[in-house]
């Protein structure tokens, strides 16, 4: 291990990019452009809304699976999960159990509903089930979330590139983003999916090299686990029921179940992929293989965190000042162990950017389809100019995201707020779909009340907690670290180093809060989505009982979770109104332009 004397100059002198590194990085960008050009200018076919956002519904499952995995595993995940493991241990790895639960729920509840409906925008379901206002509110929340999340996704790898090369974030971010906008704009879903599949090769290859070289440096797998056990990092079943503990088995399993349902079951980009394949059986294969891929990626990134701790168990780079933020830890580690291997640091940065670009391209494609279907078609429903409009939406959204990167850079601690907004958006959106799928007597008034309550409550909790963190009133010190084997000629004061060393050796990790921090702000960040969903659903149901319940006999069973259909059919006599609704809904599903959606009976919407 080559821990440098805390000076940036020496670090960069040891690990400077050369033409080999730039070639590897440029190869990833160049291949992305070529794939976009192929699907945009050579293999074009007839351009329609369906072909652009759903790949004509005859996509090969391989690129769809890879794009599903990559859209769920961003650069934030690639850099954040190893840092999480290094600082707080392996409790986060309990998400592998969540993966099984969420996959089963999607296969048996969500896919049967959404695949049968064949909607270009998943939020069309909300109009069919409730009313147009609910659909618009959901679309606005999703678009707002993406506009805040995508800049963060791009900013994180741009910071890593800045660490490696010294090039300003202002230079690399526009260049890479323009390339992403290009292949997303012209390639459509097919171009995006195959580009993501190619980019995932760079990501996976870089991770494998990091693990291989890291294990060789430490002394093998057994030594990695020995050092992590000695450092109290290995834990999976911390059964502490305290909801204010940062990570426990319960906060991870319950919290992540709600989070992952929101991102894997009802997110427009994911639902696009479900219905872009030829049959429902293929859709099931996509989610199952996607879940396996996500489990593999989570396993590899958690192990990278164990590798980093095994490497720095006796000389913590946070304590020595060589790393100041958790997002810098993995790039620092890669530079440290791979700096002497030409091309591998370039492969790493290509892998990080690949993960980020995959998330950005999938997000832009999904957002374009959602905005077109939920807003543009209200004023202009002809498909004649639809491809041009969709491409224009991608360009506008991409440009806004690039602009917001520069704003995000100056917000400092607000970066954490932007990431936490996932809990706000996910909790609110999951509220609506839970009410729609599982509570057939709920009407539009209950749905709107649930949306407003969920969004307001979680915004308040997340905002308060992030302000407390930013002002130093709420702190999350990690597990024990040491400086026993650090170089003697460190350039910083010994007392300063000792003040940064962590001493906690117990189960879990402590949460430190001043007496002025309101207790609800200390709730685990994993519970944001769950709290938002439960509160929103409760308020939605109460509002429904106060304002009046839907007549369940008039609800189209295609819009309800399959396991509830038997109860609806056994409790209600078949009525002409229900037959009329089913007929009209079938016409809506089969009509690609969805022009007659307004003909659905108002009785469905309460």
């Amino acid at each position: 291990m080559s821990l440098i004397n805390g000076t940036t100059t020496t670090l960069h002198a040891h690990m400077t990019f050369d033409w080999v590194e730039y070639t590897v990085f440029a190869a990833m960008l160049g291949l992305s452009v070529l794939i976009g050009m192929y699907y945009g200018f050579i293999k074009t076919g007839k351009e329609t809304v369906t072909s652009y956002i759903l790949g004509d519904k005859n996509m090969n499952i391989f690129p769809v699976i890879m794009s599903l995995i990559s859209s769920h595993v961003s650069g934030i995940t690639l850099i954040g999960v190893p840092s999480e493991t290094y600082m707080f241990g392996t409790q986060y790895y309990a998400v592998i159990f969540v993966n099984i639960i969420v996959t089963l729920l999607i296969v048996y509840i969500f896919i049967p509903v959404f695949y049968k409906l064949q909607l270009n925008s998943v939020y069309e379901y909300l109009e069919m089930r409730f009313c147009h206002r609910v659909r618009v509110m959901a679309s606005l929340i999703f678009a707002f979330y993406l506009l805040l999340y995508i800049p963060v996704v791009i900013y994180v790898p741009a910071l890593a590139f800045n660490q490696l090369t010294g090039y300003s974030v202002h230079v690399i971010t526009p260049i890479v983003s323009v390339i992403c906008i290009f292949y997303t704009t012209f390639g459509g879903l097919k171009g995006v999916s195959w580009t993501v599949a190619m980019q995932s090769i760079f990501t996976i290859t870089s991770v494998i090299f990091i693990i291989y070289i890291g294990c060789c440096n430490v002394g093998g797998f057994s030594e990695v686990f020995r050092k992590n056990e000695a450092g109290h990092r290995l834990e999976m079943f911390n059964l502490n029921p305290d909801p204010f503990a940062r990570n426990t088995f319960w906060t991870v399993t319950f919290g992540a179940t709600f989070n992952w349902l929101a991102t894997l079951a009802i997110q427009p980009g994911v639902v696009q992929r479900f219905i872009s394949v030829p049959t429902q059986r293929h859709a099931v294969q996509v989610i199952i293989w996607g879940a396996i891929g996500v489990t593999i990626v989570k396993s590899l990134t958690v192990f990278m965190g164990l590798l980093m701790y095994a490497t720095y168990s006796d000389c913590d780079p946070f304590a020595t000042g060589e790393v100041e933020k958790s997002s810098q830890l993995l790039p620092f580690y890669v530079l440290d162990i791979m700096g002497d291997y030409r091309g591998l640091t370039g492969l790493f940065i290509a892998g990080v950017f690949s993960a980020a670009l995959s998330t950005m391209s999938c997000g832009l494609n999904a957002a374009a389809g959602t905005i077109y279907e939920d807003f543009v078609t209200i004023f202009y429903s002809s498909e004649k100019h639809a491809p041009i409009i969709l491409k224009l939406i991608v360009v506008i959204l991409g440009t806004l995201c690039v602009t917001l990167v520069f704003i995000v850079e100056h917000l400092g601690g607000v970066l954490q707020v932007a990431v936490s907004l996932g809990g706000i958006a996910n909790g609110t959106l999951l509220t609506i779909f839970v009410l729609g799928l599982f509570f057939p007597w709920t009407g539009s008034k209950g749905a709107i009340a649930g949306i407003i309550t969920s969004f307001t409550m979680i915004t308040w909790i997340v905002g308060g907690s992030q302000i407390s963190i930013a002002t130093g009133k709420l702190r999350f010190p990690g597990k024990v670290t040491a400086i026993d084997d650090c170089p003697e000629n460190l350039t910083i004061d010994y007392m300063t180093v000792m003040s940064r060393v962590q001493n906690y050796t117990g189960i879990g990790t402590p949460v430190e809060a001043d007496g002025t921090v309101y207790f609800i702000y200390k709730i685990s960040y994993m519970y944001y989505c769950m709290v938002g969903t439960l509160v929103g659903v409760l308020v939605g149901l109460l509002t429904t009982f106060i304002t009046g319940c839907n007549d369940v006999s008039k609800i189209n069973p295609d819009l309800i979770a399959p396991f509830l259909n038997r109860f609806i059919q056994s409790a209600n006599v078949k009525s002409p109104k229900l037959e009329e609704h089913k007929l009209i809904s079938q016409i809506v599903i089969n009509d690609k332009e969805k022009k007659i959606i307004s003909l659905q009976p108002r009785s469905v919407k309460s």
Side-chain angles (χ1 to χ4, degrees):
M1 169 174 49
S2 57
L3 286 174
I4 319 304
N5 299 338
T7 61
T8 306
T9 304
T10 310
L11 180 65
H12 281 291
H14 177 63
M15 306 160 182
T16 301
F17 254 37
D18 61 15
W19 67 270
V20 177
E21 321 298 333
Y22 285 112
T23 300
V24 175
F25 180 57
M28 182 272 293
L29 297 178
L31 287 172
S32 301
V33 171
L34 289 175
I35 293 173
M37 291 176 65
Y38 175 74
Y39 282 99
F41 302 107
I42 300 175
K43 194 175 182 179
T44 53
K46 183 180 179 181
E47 288 192 326
T48 64
V49 175
T50 302
S51 66
Y52 191 85
I53 64 178
L54 297 177
D56 286 323
K57 300 182 182 179
N58 62 356
M59 290 285 295
N60 184 288
I61 67 169
F62 173 72
V64 176
I65 291 169
M66 297 307 295
S67 66
L68 178 63
I69 297 170
S70 298
S71 63
H72 187 66
V73 182
S74 67
I76 294 176
T77 300
L78 195 61
I79 290 178
V81 173
S83 301
E84 164 74 21
T85 305
Y86 177 92
M87 298 172 66
F88 301 104
T90 59
Q91 184 58 70
Y92 174 80
Y93 191 54
V95 293
I96 61 172
F97 302 115
V98 173
N99 208 0
I100 299 172
I101 297 170
V102 170
T103 299
L104 291 174
L105 289 173
I106 294 173
V107 167
Y108 289 105
I109 296 176
F110 292 92
I111 287 181
V113 173
F114 294 140
Y115 195 88
K116 187 173 185 179
L117 294 176
Q118 290 287 304
L119 305 174
N120 284 352
S121 168
V122 69
Y123 297 132
E124 289 180 61
Y125 166 86
L126 298 177
E127 181 166 0
M128 297 172 70
R129 176 64 179 83
F130 296 113
C131 66
H132 183 69
R133 285 176 298 169
V134 174
R135 175 181 177 177
V136 169
M137 292 174 74
S139 297
L140 286 174
I141 291 171
F142 173 68
F144 177 71
Y145 164 65
L146 276 185
L147 282 176
L148 291 178
Y149 182 68
I150 290 177
V152 178
V153 168
I154 294 298
Y155 182 66
V156 170
L159 276 179
F161 191 85
N162 172 259
Q163 280 183 277
L164 283 161
T165 66
Y167 280 107
S168 170
V169 173
H170 298 174
V171 174
I172 188 60
T173 301
I175 294 174
V176 173
S177 298
V178 165
I179 291 173
C180 181
I181 294 169
F182 174 82
Y183 70 74
T184 304
T185 300
F186 293 101
L189 181 63
K190 289 184 178 180
V192 167
S193 297
W194 281 107
T195 302
V196 167
M198 179 276 298
Q199 290 169 343
S200 65
I201 295 174
F202 283 86
T203 304
I204 294 170
T205 305
S206 66
V207 169
I208 291 173
F209 271 108
I210 291 171
I211 290 176
Y212 175 74
I213 295 174
C215 281
C216 290
N217 286 354
V218 171
F221 285 94
S222 59
E223 187 66 9
V224 172
F225 285 101
R226 186 192 69 77
K227 288 190 174 183
N228 277 275
E229 184 177 9
H232 305 275
R233 258 62 182 179
L234 302 181
E235 60 182 47
M236 178 75 80
F237 298 101
N238 173 11
L239 300 180
N240 180 4
D242 184 5
F244 302 103
R246 186 180 181 276
N247 270 357
T248 67
F249 180 80
W250 307 118
T251 62
V252 173
T253 51
F254 284 110
T257 295
F258 282 79
N259 271 301
W260 284 28
L261 272 177
T263 56
L264 289 174
I266 62 170
Q267 208 261 8
V270 176
V271 177
Q272 278 182 2
R273 280 150 183 78
F274 290 164
I275 63 177
S276 68
V277 292
T279 67
Q280 185 171 321
R281 181 176 61 85
H282 288 100
V284 171
Q285 291 176 358
V286 166
I287 189 60
I288 291 175
W289 284 106
I292 293 172
V294 168
T295 299
I296 293 172
V297 172
K298 294 293 184 184
S299 301
L300 293 175
T301 51
V302 167
F303 188 74
M304 283 197 295
L306 297 179
L307 266 178
M308 291 194 298
Y309 180 74
T311 304
Y312 301 127
S313 58
D314 294 323
C315 189
D316 178 37
F318 286 102
T320 60
E322 293 166 296
V323 171
E324 296 179 357
K325 299 178 181 179
S326 59
S327 60
Q328 298 175 329
L329 185 57
L330 182 61
F332 174 82
Y333 173 71
V334 171
L335 292 170
D336 195 13
I337 68 167
M338 295 170 64
D340 292 328
Y341 298 89
R342 298 186 69 186
L344 293 188
T345 48
L347 180 64
F348 165 73
I349 204 65
V352 174
F353 263 109
S354 292
L357 292 177
S358 299
T359 303
M360 182 179 183
S361 59
C362 292
L364 289 177
N365 183 263
T370 299
I371 291 172
Y372 178 82
E373 290 290 337
D374 297 346
F375 298 103
V376 176
T377 53
I378 297 174
F379 307 101
Y380 185 81
S381 58
S382 173
E383 283 209 2
K384 182 178 180 181
H385 300 103
I388 296 175
I389 295 172
L390 284 163
K391 292 173 182 178
L392 184 61
I393 293 172
V394 170
V395 172
I396 293 172
L397 290 176
T399 303
L400 283 173
C401 289
V402 174
T403 304
L404 287 172
V405 167
F406 301 110
I407 297 175
V408 163
E409 179 189 17
H410 296 287
L411 293 178
V414 183
L415 281 172
Q416 294 181 353
V417 178
V419 176
S420 297
L421 279 175
I424 301 174
N426 290 340
T428 305
L429 295 174
L430 191 57
T431 292
I432 321 170
F433 281 93
V434 168
L435 288 171
L437 287 164
F438 299 101
F439 300 96
W441 57 85
T442 305
S444 58
K445 293 177 182 178
I448 291 172
I451 292 171
I452 295 173
T453 304
S454 175
F455 188 83
T456 303
M457 176 131 185
I458 300 303
T459 300
W460 167 52
I461 294 175
V462 171
S465 65
Q466 292 301 321
I467 290 173
S468 299
I469 292 171
T471 55
K473 295 179 180 179
L474 184 60
R475 299 171 298 278
F476 304 96
K479 289 182 175 293
V480 62
T481 56
I483 56 169
D484 299 341
D485 196 31
C486 286
E488 296 181 0
N489 57 342
L490 286 172
T491 59
I492 53 178
D493 175 284
Y494 177 76
M495 295 304 296
T496 301
V497 173
M498 288 302 299
S499 68
R500 298 170 178 168
V501 172
Q502 305 296 333
N503 299 304
Y504 183 77
T505 58
I507 297 175
T509 52
V511 176
E512 298 177 355
D514 291 355
T516 58
V517 177
Y518 193 48
F519 81 97
I520 197 66
Y521 296 161
K522 295 183 286 185
I523 193 169
S524 172
Y525 70 102
M526 296 295 292
Y527 279 152
Y528 291 158
C529 180
M530 187 183 79
V531 170
T533 302
L534 294 179
V535 171
V537 169
L538 178 61
V539 170
L541 293 176
L542 289 174
T543 303
T544 296
F545 291 136
I546 293 171
T547 60
C549 298
N550 269 349
D551 183 349
V552 177
S553 68
K554 297 175 183 177
I555 297 294
N556 178 5
D558 290 343
L559 305 178
I560 306 300
F563 71 90
L564 291 175
N565 285 339
R566 68 183 68 177
F567 301 107
I568 294 175
Q569 292 169 359
S570 63
N572 298 281
V573 178
K574 187 182 279 188
S575 68
K577 270 289 184 184
L578 178 58
E579 290 303 304
E580 174 194 353
H581 179 82
K582 289 171 70 177
L583 175 61
I584 292 175
S585 294
Q586 190 61 43
I587 296 173
V588 170
I589 292 168
N590 291 334
D591 180 11
K592 292 186 178 180
E593 293 188 3
K594 317 289 189 299
K595 288 181 179 179
I596 61 173
I597 195 169
S598 60
L599 296 179
Q600 295 176 86
R602 303 301 294 181
S603 60
V604 179
K605 306 171 186 177
S606 77

